[in-house]
Amino acid sequence: MNVWMQQHPATLLGLVIWAFGILWLMPSRRPGQIRSQRIGISIAAAGLLLFCGSFGKSTSDLASEVMFWVFAAGALGCGVLMITSRNPVYGALWFALSTLSTCGLFMVQSAPFLAAATIIVYAGAVIVTFLFVIMLAQQSGAAGYDQRSQQAIPATVAAFVLLGALSMTLQSAPPQFVRVEIQAPVVQEQQAGTMMTLDPNKPVNPPEPDAIPNYLSRADYKTPVGSLKGLGRSLFGDYLFAVELAGTLLLVASIGAIAIAPRREEGAL
Amino acid sequence: MPELLITLITIAVVVGAIPGVCNYLILLERKLSAWMQDRVGPNRVGPMGLFQPLADGLKLLLKEEVIPSHVDRVLFLIAPGISVFTALLAFAVVPFGPVGDASVPSIIRFIIAPNIDMGIVFIFAVGSLAVYGVVLGGWASNNKYSALGALRASAQVVSYEIPLGMSVLGIALLSGTLNLEQIMKQQVDGGILAWNIWFQPLAALMFFTASLAEANRLPFDLAECEQELVGGWHTEYSALKWALFFLGEYTHMITISFLTSILFLGGWHFPGIAEADSVYMGAWLVKLLVLISKAFFFICVMIMLRWTIPRFRFDQLMELAWRVMIPLSLANLLMVMFCAHFGASRWWLLPGSLMLFAAWGMISASLRDTERRAKPGYVRKKAVVAHDSHSTSHSSAH
């Protein structure tokens, strides 16, 4: 870690300045005090520029470069606006826009299904539920405690330490990305009445990768994940254990939620 | 760039045609309603009232734009835009004609974005964003009735998205793809006995019902519910902004009708006149007309349902989603999975679906009965009858 700090002082400095700018922008604890937004925005922007500049240049083509920066700026900007807006409804909406920008990033990385699923789950269901709760809870305008941020300093510090750890991992050990040759989708002339069959050209048991990265899942780098079929096969084949584990966790959570919800006799709706 | 040119032409045609079609759908709705209620309907503007939509459109365009002073201005103005934008965006992956047919002139393409691998998922993703128009419009209006409408809309849409998505999963399993063009092609190639409605009748019913709820059509229009909420989420809206909301709703109707025809009724296939191998002069036009007539049929069904089934109560609406449609769609999906895994014939799914429907009807009836008995104020029927006869005999004695 010390080595990383000496080698990348710009990254560290950028992170600190950026964190300070965000902290400045957060709605203050005392309702009367209003800080100048311009100062906060310029500090945060300076830190962000320093942080981004300390990374190496990317090698992708211009179109995806432009799209990456547009979506990344959208996601970051909307995220900052989400935590700094005083109105909870606007906060939820900025959250939705930030999610949509992230889905744009997924699209650029040619993961359309991930993008669509994220839109359905987050923008379409979770944030709509947030809006529902906000509107139901505050029909007479936002309460005072909702207009300022609670625990601003610990939250900012935690978030930026996490970001620093991520950038340290990225900078000190660039991962060896495995280039996956995406095969052209095999269009099978399927007769109606016959079920989907596996591609006969493909071996049933693909050869084991050299190193197993995780005992819970067996990632198969040879499966083309770009297509929906490949994604499904990977999710319910290579990562079956993780998927089942997540499903069990969600089931337990929903049983718990039903158990602690008040019954009708206890005065619920 | 001919590909880009074709895409631009298709977009222009679709975006140009949909508002006109929506306008005339309103006339159709008014005429059909009048017919069902033994009235004449609009008949003043033009022959048989045919120019009424034009007059209405002009009125909505030229009306004064009223923005009340107490609204949240930004969101108030954005909300109708979101409604139209999402509804039109969803139409981008819907094939509205014989896509890929050899006889079609190469300049015409019946889909804006062809070969989208996850067509249905895209439609669901965009459709799930459509509720923002309603929710934001209702909240920004700063009006109790609008807020209530928006609350109802958000709960309703989140609930009905689940059965909507799960009812299509069966078809995705059967066809092995989520691409709408592929699903249509498989049904067309297999003839009328390959239409998905034979294997998934229950899913078709649930899909249609859930999408009615997504589109806020009666009997699911709790969000605007005139008798209780004035106009619901659009109480404060007027003129063109109000019209945009309804443009979104009618576009949604068109999308649903096309989707139901494509997913369950074989797309442009019709035995005898529009088969996969029918090549005659203008065959593609006939195929286009077949698909459009199927969609038109579903639009008429939606309009007539409006005057047939009364509006649900809100708890009934939620009960329908959570206690009927979600378990049923899960059971239906399980059935398809069993069928696929053990390689059984698809035709088992037809009696299976009907049995599932009947069984769930009986289960929910008995559940309802048990629930009623468990309530504290429950009085057994026999006692009520005895009491009634006693009182009548008592009064007659006097």
Side-chain angles (χ1 to χ4, degrees):
Chain A
M1 192 171 159
N2 276 325
V3 181
W4 176 75
M5 277 171 150
Q6 282 158 11
Q7 278 176 351
H8 304 277
T11 313
L12 202 63
L13 192 66
L15 270 177
V16 172
I17 297 176
W18 188 11
F20 186 69
I22 295 292
L23 205 56
W24 183 283
L25 279 173
M26 292 249 198
S28 73
R29 226 171 152 64
R30 276 165 295 171
Q33 182 191 9
I34 291 174
R35 296 197 190 104
S36 161
Q37 296 234 322
R38 279 188 204 156
I39 300 177
I41 290 172
S42 14
I43 296 175
L48 181 60
L49 283 180
L50 196 59
F51 177 75
C52 292
S54 68
F55 280 86
K57 288 222 180 245
S58 75
T59 50
S60 49
D61 58 311
L62 184 70
S64 50
E65 183 99 335
V66 168
M67 284 202 280
F68 169 77
W69 284 109
V70 167
F71 285 129
L76 270 181
C78 296
V80 169
L81 282 167
M82 173 191 121
I83 53 171
T84 55
S85 67
R86 284 181 182 269
N87 190 331
V89 170
Y90 273 90
L93 290 179
W94 288 121
F95 185 19
L97 277 182
S98 173
T99 313
L100 287 183
S101 306
T102 315
C103 291
L105 284 177
F106 288 151
M107 282 283 196
V108 174
Q109 299 293 321
S110 51
F113 182 76
L114 190 57
T118 311
I119 291 180
I120 293 176
V121 173
Y122 282 93
V126 171
I127 299 171
V128 172
T129 317
F130 282 177
L131 280 177
F132 179 83
V133 172
I134 291 170
M135 291 194 307
L136 193 69
Q138 305 184 334
Q139 281 157 354
S140 54
Y145 52 82
D146 268 339
Q147 299 191 358
R148 54 176 190 266
S149 42
Q150 316 279 330
Q151 314 281 359
I153 298 173
T156 316
V157 169
F160 277 89
V161 164
L162 194 65
L163 191 59
L166 263 175
S167 54
M168 189 174 93
T169 318
L170 281 176
Q171 280 180 334
S172 49
Q176 296 297 313
F177 285 115
V178 182
R179 280 267 162 206
V180 179
E181 286 296 319
I182 295 175
Q183 299 168 355
V186 187
V187 180
Q188 291 170 325
E189 292 299 321
Q190 286 174 11
Q191 294 294 321
T194 59
M195 299 309 302
M196 189 187 78
T197 50
L198 291 175
D199 189 0
N201 298 327
K202 224 174 253 173
V204 180
N205 286 321
E208 293 282 323
D210 296 335
I212 297 175
N214 185 349
Y215 290 111
L216 295 184
S217 57
R218 190 168 47 84
D220 177 11
Y221 291 115
K222 283 156 197 80
T223 322
V225 288
S227 72
L228 203 53
K229 235 172 233 181
L231 182 72
R233 203 166 289 161
S234 177
L235 208 55
F236 290 100
D238 310 327
Y239 294 98
L240 182 64
F241 194 80
V243 169
E244 294 291 335
L245 209 61
T248 316
L249 188 67
L250 285 177
L251 181 68
V252 170
S254 54
I255 291 173
I258 292 168
I260 62 173
R263 299 270 158 271
R264 209 162 272 212
E265 304 87 67
E266 293 169 18
L269 283 176
Chain B
M1 287 182 270
E3 190 67 17
L4 182 65
L5 193 70
I6 292 175
T7 308
L8 285 180
I9 290 174
T10 320
I11 291 177
V13 168
V14 168
V15 172
I18 281 184
V21 172
C22 289
N23 237 339
Y24 272 88
L25 281 184
I26 293 176
L27 179 71
L28 177 77
E29 173 139 29
R30 292 177 66 184
K31 278 281 184 193
L32 264 181
S33 315
W35 176 64
M36 289 183 76
Q37 296 165 353
D38 207 6
R39 293 185 284 120
V40 180
N43 64 346
R44 292 285 132 174
V45 194
M48 296 158 62
L50 272 179
F51 297 142
Q52 181 72 41
L54 304 180
D56 284 347
L58 268 181
K59 184 199 82 176
L60 288 170
L61 266 175
L62 299 176
K63 214 172 166 180
E64 187 193 352
E65 293 279 334
V66 180
I67 302 179
S69 59
H70 54 72
V71 299
D72 186 320
R73 235 183 125 85
V74 179
L75 295 184
F76 189 77
L77 291 177
I78 287 179
I82 297 178
S83 250
V84 177
F85 173 72
T86 49
L88 283 176
L89 195 62
F91 203 77
V93 296
V94 177
F96 50 92
V99 181
D101 199 76
S103 61
V104 183
S106 61
I107 193 76
I108 304 175
R109 195 178 62 200
F110 294 108
I111 184 170
I112 294 176
N115 292 324
I116 300 285
D117 205 19
M118 41 142 215
I120 308 175
V121 184
F122 176 82
I123 291 177
F124 289 159
V126 174
S128 68
L129 295 180
V131 70
Y132 278 100
V134 173
V135 171
L136 293 185
W139 183 79
S141 295
N142 197 6
N143 172 319
K144 272 179 207 159
Y145 297 116
S146 304
L148 278 175
L151 271 179
R152 287 180 176 184
S154 54
Q156 174 180 328
V157 169
V158 169
S159 309
Y160 275 88
E161 231 159 56
I162 305 168
L164 185 72
M166 287 217 293
S167 57
V168 181
L169 281 184
I171 290 203
L173 262 180
L174 284 176
S175 348
T177 176
L178 284 170
N179 187 333
L180 284 170
E181 296 152 79
Q182 292 287 328
I183 292 176
M184 191 152 83
K185 188 173 180 305
Q186 287 178 12
Q187 296 179 69
V188 167
D189 290 345
I192 188 170
L193 290 181
W195 287 11
N196 279 326
I197 185 111
W198 303 121
F199 315 120
Q200 294 279 287
L202 190 57
L205 182 68
M206 283 189 295
F207 179 80
F208 189 66
T209 317
S211 38
L212 274 184
E214 290 270 300
N216 267 323
R217 286 289 302 180
L218 258 146
F220 299 101
D221 71 335
L222 272 287
E224 50 175 313
C225 199
E226 291 87 353
Q227 287 89 335
E228 301 162 22
L229 299 181
V230 191
W233 42 275
H234 62 69
T235 305
E236 299 283 6
Y237 281 90
S238 63
L240 200 61
K241 293 193 287 298
W242 180 86
L244 284 180
F245 270 131
F246 279 85
L247 180 64
E249 182 182 321
Y250 277 85
T251 310
H252 212 127
M253 271 172 75
I254 296 174
T255 312
I256 295 164
S257 324
F258 270 108
L259 273 184
T260 317
S261 326
I262 290 165
L263 288 173
F264 295 100
L265 283 184
W268 50 264
H269 177 268
F270 199 82
I273 55 169
E275 307 251 16
D277 51 356
S278 56
V279 270
Y280 48 86
M281 187 74 179
W284 63 273
L285 208 61
V286 174
K287 292 170 183 173
L288 175 67
L289 284 179
V290 166
L291 180 55
I292 289 181
S293 337
K294 282 180 187 173
F296 183 74
F297 166 75
F298 279 111
I299 290 177
C300 289
V301 169
M302 275 184 225
I303 293 174
M304 297 211 277
L305 270 180
R306 177 172 181 172
W307 305 112
T308 312
I309 304 178
R311 184 182 289 134
F312 288 117
R313 226 169 45 215
F314 197 70
D315 60 327
Q316 291 173 331
L317 178 94
M318 283 294 157
E319 204 157 292
L320 182 67
W322 289 96
R323 294 173 80 169
V324 178
M325 283 173 67
I326 292 177
L328 256 185
S329 54
L330 254 180
N332 180 52
L333 184 64
L334 261 181
M335 198 168 65
V336 178
M337 278 159 71
F338 267 102
C339 194
H341 188 256
F342 294 110
S345 162
R346 284 180 180 205
W347 286 102
W348 285 108
L349 292 175
L350 178 60
S353 291
L354 299 179
M355 267 169 58
L356 211 59
F357 188 65
W360 204 262
M362 282 191 275
I363 290 175
S364 40
S366 65
L367 274 181
R368 173 165 291 242
D369 210 39
T370 345
E371 203 169 73
R372 209 167 48 212
R373 259 174 230 186
K375 272 191 182 166
Y378 175 73
V379 188
R380 276 203 298 172
K381 240 180 198 158
K382 211 172 173 185
V384 175
V385 171
H387 179 74
D388 273 6
S389 64
H390 175 72
S391 64
T392 43
S393 65
H394 189 72
S395 57
S396 61
H398 276 273

